[in-house]
Amino acid sequence: MRVLVIEDEVRMATLVKRALEEEGHAVDLCGDGPEGLWMATENPYAAIVLDVMLPGFDGFELCRRLREADVWVPVLMLTARDQVGDRVRGLDAGADDYLVKPFSLMELAARLRALTRREDHRRPVVLEVGDLKLDPATKRAWRGSTELELSPKEFALLDLFLRHPGVVLSRSQILEDVWDFAYDGTSNVVDQYVNYLRRKVDAPFGRSDLQTVRGMGYRLRDEEDG
């Protein structure tokens, strides 16, 4: 999923970005309230990791403005403050969860997974289309009974296809979901990674479920399509 991290402490932001990228997420960074508000309202994020102490205006105000703008993406607040009043203030501003510094990066990743599952009750814990199966929590995927060995980007790409079976995804849509805002390459990277994925999930099994739709993009064949 695509995550926005709003944190002005460079070292902390870098650590969080690296940890979430290792989980297979695309991560955008910004370091102040106004920029964070602009990015969160202009881009589709699956979750926001939001520090409380920010230049411009703080995380409480940013979260309040997001909710006033009808942006209901899950927000996980980070802070060095551990007073009950601060936690209550953050939740009252519209945050969905609260994590006090210092924290475990593993716990941060787990809380984000829980938040995104909670946000969409229709989203299954394990994704399945035909005999393709993917577990976002354990970062494991299978074709039938065979476990697939996927890189983080390949995993994120398969996750995206499994969430949209039968839907044609354009290269720009795939870039937006799987690569971060700072990526300045060409859409050829999408073609390369779709080919990498085909070699692992289709070719060894005599399948061709990852389909090219000429001039439009790619889609994962839905079993219901026959």
Side-chain angles (χ1 to χ4, degrees):
M1 61 186 181
R2 191 175 181 192
V3 179
L4 174 62
V5 175
I6 308 173
E7 165 67 70
D8 66 321
E9 186 182 334
V10 175
R11 182 174 178 276
M12 175 61 70
T14 302
L15 286 172
V16 171
K17 178 179 172 69
R18 184 181 305 148
L20 295 181
E21 286 178 339
E22 287 175 358
E23 288 277 311
H25 306 312
V27 183
D28 295 338
L29 293 180
C30 66
D32 62 59
E35 183 186 12
L37 180 63
W38 179 82
M39 291 184 70
T41 52
E42 292 295 317
N43 299 286
Y45 292 105
I48 295 174
V49 178
L50 173 62
D51 188 35
V52 166
M53 301 300 293
L54 294 170
F57 48 79
D58 64 24
F60 299 129
E61 177 66 14
L62 195 157
C63 193
R64 185 184 63 78
R65 294 192 189 190
L66 284 178
R67 299 322 188 203
E68 286 179 350
D70 282 331
V71 177
W72 296 101
V73 56
V75 172
L76 173 62
M77 296 195 89
L78 304 178
T79 184
R81 300 176 176 182
D82 60 358
Q83 298 297 314
V84 172
D86 289 327
R87 295 199 295 272
V88 170
R89 186 181 172 196
L91 295 171
D92 283 347
D96 298 276
D97 200 359
Y98 208 99
L99 199 54
V100 177
K101 299 175 183 177
F103 52 84
S104 159
L105 292 171
M106 288 179 63
E107 181 181 3
L108 170 66
R111 283 176 180 261
L112 283 179
R113 289 195 297 268
L115 281 179
T116 53
R117 287 199 302 269
R118 188 188 314 163
E119 177 69 9
D120 186 351
H121 297 293
R122 298 166 300 175
R123 178 180 295 173
V125 175
V126 175
L127 304 170
E128 292 187 71
V129 175
D131 63 350
L132 269 176
K133 184 168 67 173
L134 178 148
D135 184 346
T138 62
K139 299 299 177 186
R140 299 174 69 189
W142 299 263
R143 168 71 88 176
S145 60
T146 303
E147 186 162 358
L148 306 170
E149 296 294 329
L150 304 176
S151 71
K153 275 287 182 278
E154 291 165 351
F155 187 93
L157 187 57
L158 181 59
D159 182 292
L160 179 64
F161 280 122
L162 286 171
R163 293 188 191 278
H164 302 88
V167 176
V168 178
L169 300 174
S170 68
R171 289 171 178 79
S172 60
Q173 285 175 301
I174 295 171
L175 278 173
E176 197 169 83
D177 266 78
V178 180
W179 279 264
D180 60 41
F181 190 70
Y183 179 76
D184 60 0
T186 68
S187 63
N188 286 344
V189 72
V190 173
D191 303 328
Q192 292 170 2
Y193 271 86
V194 168
N195 285 331
Y196 295 158
L197 196 57
R198 281 173 169 156
R199 292 172 195 167
K200 294 185 178 182
V201 306
D202 274 351
F205 305 92
R207 304 288 290 269
S208 55
D209 292 341
L210 281 174
Q211 302 174 331
T212 301
V213 181
R214 191 173 299 277
M216 297 177 67
Y218 298 98
R219 89 176 143 214
L220 175 65
R221 186 177 69 85
D222 193 343
E223 289 291 296
E224 295 180 359
D225 296 337

